[in-house]
Amino acid sequence: MMVAVWTVGLLALWSLAIRRTSAPAAAGFAVIGLLGVELVILLVSPHLGVPLPWLEAAVWAAVVLVAIVTAARAGVTAPSRRALALTLAAASGGLLVIATAVLAQVLPGALHIAWAMNSDSVNVIVFSREILEAGGIVPSGTGSPTPLPFGMVASAMAPGRNDVSDAGLAGHDVAALAGLWVFMLAVCCLLAGAIVARSATRLRTPVAAIVTVIASLLGTTWFVLGVQFQYGFVTTSFALALLLSVWLVYLDSPRHPVASLAALIVAAAALLAVWSPLVVVVAPLGVLIAVRSRREILRAGWRRMLAPIAAIALAVGYLAAVSIPQYLAASAFLAADGGFPTIGPATIVSAVGLVGVLAALSARFAGERRVLSGVLAMVIGFALGLGFLLAQRVGFETTWGYYPAKFGWTVSIVFLVIALGAAASLLEHLAARRTEIIASVFGTVLLAGLVWSPGEPQDPISQLPLVEIVGGNAFGLTNEQADTVLSLSGRENGQDVLWRTPYDSWGNRWLLQLDVDEFHTNPVKAYAYLPSLSAGDVCAVIDLLGTDVTVHTDDPNAEADLDAVCPGAATVVMGR
């Protein structure tokens, strides 16, 4: 339900923005507006005492009403054939993601929902439930450094939740997470396509559509989408949506410097609530806009400056109330390790080099100097952010850890999209200049090598995770293991543990975290991340969970082995 509300709200914001700027830039303004409004809703909701779904419905109904009234007064202009073709091309990747998610629910053998349950996904559900219980983001009670994505998951969970049994809550919540995730991934594909479409204005429509489709489909590869699904990186889609939107807004800044600056500050506030280190990547773009357009900004009347002032208030308020206290309380976590693919510094450096070369060529031969200056600004911010994260790991065996790698990978995706846009702006010059031909061929080969990651997976079909989801074998997952976890979740009939089954590690990550008391401090969490459990481990888990624990196993000797360590501690059931 909420995904439909956000989709309509996003279209309404886009329809308002496109009256003053180009379609690609309007997409950037609309996405920043959507996530900025959501952040405000989640911050004020606990103080208003209004249930999240009701507040969401009221706010977005008002936005849609304004869009309808504006369209009625100003009239609607029919888009050109080229505009329609490029819009469809930009949306192609997102449409493919949505179609795959829908088909997976009805095709025999397809992976229904397990793709949304890997690794960090269980933490997303737990944190989202906490925000839902609090009624929004409460600074003193927000344990997550990424409350905006989790708050939107909470809003998506809310409709109809009271009518769901305790045993069915996990399935309900995972479905809400999956729906929002698919929506955000589709938005990212659309924005990537919009960036390239904006750079392909001088190309014939068929050629422009082809390069736009390539950019949009980049978001469906393993390097982008597959890593998110494999490791449960739900927040990455929000970060990418904001970073890509900021780039579109930055490119539009000479036409609307005040509005662009306001939008960039809102995006910075939203990034603080998604993953705060990424703010340093976009901050230099704000400085560029302010310096280049300082005269127009200074001449702007107080009414035009209301938006930037409000945006600054939002960003500073969030920074002071949430981000700084969280950093002071949990800064040590930035040095922590975690699950991440073997995408190393070489891949990140290659992405930076590629975007730098193509941006320089586009500035020299296509007149895209704003692209080059923007890329240089982002690279400076990226270097500062990466350096800060690497510094947190001084004294460790290796400085290249989980957070530096994730930071580098996230920004490198944005650089790849910008590189595609720069390459598109060069296409019309290829026939006349050999330098660009060589650079473009080199760039294409390098881009293919980057997307075809040097890490896992190695086989060709695994580079296309949507194909594997439809085929039912993505990421080594099965419908049975997801069904097992969802059927055993809830506490109506006690708590459950898997032991000596094919799904112990994956299943217990959910069962030992989703429905336990005091999630943040409960020592049973340590057992949720073990690759396997010994009989002694199972006895310790039973002791920590308390009474009424059932152990599910496929091993007929399991009960005897368990009784040898802790006799009669739990009910042992064969099968799941």
Side-chain angles (χ1 to χ4, degrees):
M1 175 182 171
M2 287 310 306
V3 171
V5 171
W6 290 322
T7 301
V8 174
L10 184 61
L11 290 172
L13 290 172
W14 180 81
S15 71
L16 291 169
I18 200 174
R19 297 186 178 280
R20 295 181 176 272
T21 187
S22 64
F29 279 107
V31 172
I32 292 173
L34 173 75
L35 296 179
V37 169
E38 280 299 310
L39 178 59
V40 173
I41 289 174
L42 290 166
L43 287 170
V44 303
S45 179
H47 305 287
L48 297 178
V50 179
L52 268 176
W54 289 101
L55 185 57
E56 293 265 14
V59 170
W60 291 116
V63 172
V64 171
L65 181 61
V66 170
I68 292 173
V69 171
T70 302
R73 288 181 175 179
V76 177
T77 303
S80 65
R81 290 184 179 180
R82 178 183 174 89
L84 287 174
L86 293 184
T87 299
L88 183 60
S92 59
L95 292 174
L96 183 60
V97 173
I98 295 169
T100 300
V102 173
L103 287 174
Q105 308 310 309
V106 296
L107 287 179
L111 203 62
H112 301 320
I113 200 70
W115 52 266
M117 298 176 63
N118 257 340
S119 196
D120 285 353
S121 294
V122 61
N123 295 316
V124 176
I125 296 294
V126 173
F127 280 118
S128 299
R129 286 180 171 183
E130 292 180 347
I131 291 177
L132 180 60
E133 184 177 355
I137 298 174
V138 180
S140 60
T142 300
S144 167
T146 57
L148 176 56
F150 299 164
M152 290 184 68
V153 173
S155 292
M157 290 176 177
R161 203 166 190 271
N162 293 334
D163 299 325
V164 179
S165 67
D166 181 68
L169 281 179
H172 173 88
D173 293 348
V174 171
L177 164 64
L180 176 58
W181 204 350
V182 166
F183 170 73
M184 290 305 301
L185 289 168
V187 167
C188 291
C189 291
L190 176 67
L191 292 168
I195 287 173
V196 172
R198 178 259 173 209
S199 301
T201 53
R202 300 174 185 176
L203 299 175
R204 292 183 297 111
T205 299
V207 179
I210 290 171
V211 296
T212 300
V213 166
I214 291 172
S216 186
L217 292 179
L218 175 66
T220 69
T221 61
W222 178 82
F223 188 80
V224 181
L225 179 145
V227 173
Q228 294 182 59
F229 282 171
Q230 188 168 344
Y231 292 89
F233 294 158
V234 177
T235 58
T236 299
S237 60
F238 289 79
L240 290 175
L242 286 165
L243 291 172
L244 294 171
S245 297
V246 162
W247 182 251
L248 285 167
V249 167
Y250 161 74
L251 293 177
D252 190 63
S253 60
R255 298 174 61 187
H256 305 96
V258 176
S260 296
L261 185 61
L264 195 144
I265 296 170
V266 171
L271 279 170
L272 287 173
V274 172
W275 194 29
S276 54
L278 291 171
V279 171
V280 299
V281 179
V282 303
L285 294 178
V287 174
L288 267 182
I289 295 173
V291 171
R292 283 180 172 174
S293 304
R294 58 188 180 279
R295 292 179 180 176
E296 185 171 347
I297 292 172
L298 291 174
R299 287 198 303 265
W302 67 269
R303 290 183 179 178
R304 290 180 62 195
M305 290 302 298
L306 284 178
I309 292 170
I312 291 171
L314 174 63
V316 172
Y318 187 89
L319 183 68
V322 181
S323 296
I324 292 177
Q326 283 184 341
Y327 173 76
L328 294 175
S331 59
F333 284 104
L334 291 175
D337 286 311
F340 196 80
T342 51
I343 298 173
T347 299
I348 310 306
V349 171
S350 298
V352 174
L354 175 63
V355 73
V357 169
L358 289 175
L361 289 171
S362 69
R364 172 65 178 83
F365 297 108
E368 291 281 9
R369 292 179 177 80
R370 191 159 60 254
V371 170
L372 178 59
S373 59
V375 165
L376 292 176
M378 290 185 71
V379 168
I380 291 172
F382 170 68
L384 291 173
L386 186 60
F388 170 77
L389 293 173
L390 290 172
Q392 307 308 302
R393 293 184 57 83
V394 171
F396 283 71
E397 183 177 351
T398 174
T399 54
W400 188 255
Y402 171 73
Y403 285 112
K406 189 175 181 181
F407 182 83
W409 164 71
T410 302
V411 180
S412 71
I413 293 172
V414 179
F415 283 156
L416 291 179
V417 175
I418 297 173
L420 281 173
S425 68
L426 284 169
L427 281 178
E428 68 169 336
H429 300 272
L430 292 184
R433 293 183 173 88
R434 187 176 299 174
T435 303
E436 288 93 332
I437 296 176
I438 296 172
S440 296
V441 171
F442 170 76
T444 301
V445 172
L446 184 55
L447 178 60
L450 286 167
V451 176
W452 194 292
S453 172
E456 77 255 27
Q458 296 291 344
D459 56 299
I461 196 64
S462 295
Q463 300 294 329
L464 304 172
L466 296 181
V467 175
E468 289 208 314
I469 288 174
V470 173
N473 58 345
F475 319 116
L477 302 174
T478 66
N479 288 322
E480 183 182 5
Q481 66 193 92
D483 294 340
T484 296
V485 166
L486 296 179
S487 65
L488 296 179
S489 297
R491 300 182 63 170
E492 288 180 341
N493 299 309
Q495 292 188 271
D496 300 271
V497 183
L498 296 175
W499 189 41
R500 296 180 182 176
T501 75
Y503 315 130
D504 285 9
S505 178
W506 194 87
N508 284 331
R509 179 173 292 217
W510 282 83
L511 296 175
L512 299 184
Q513 295 187 95
L514 190 61
D515 298 304
V516 300
D517 297 322
E518 303 297 332
F519 165 77
H520 298 285
T521 57
N522 198 318
V524 78
K525 283 183 60 178
Y527 296 92
Y529 292 88
L530 295 179
S532 62
L533 299 177
S534 65
D537 291 334
V538 176
C539 290
V541 167
I542 293 168
D543 183 60
L544 290 169
L545 291 178
T547 58
D548 203 12
V549 178
T550 302
V551 177
H552 299 262
T553 183
D554 290 345
D555 182 2
N557 299 317
E559 185 170 11
D561 292 345
L562 194 63
D563 281 343
V565 180
C566 49
T571 303
V572 179
V573 175
M574 284 291 296
R576 288 154 274 124

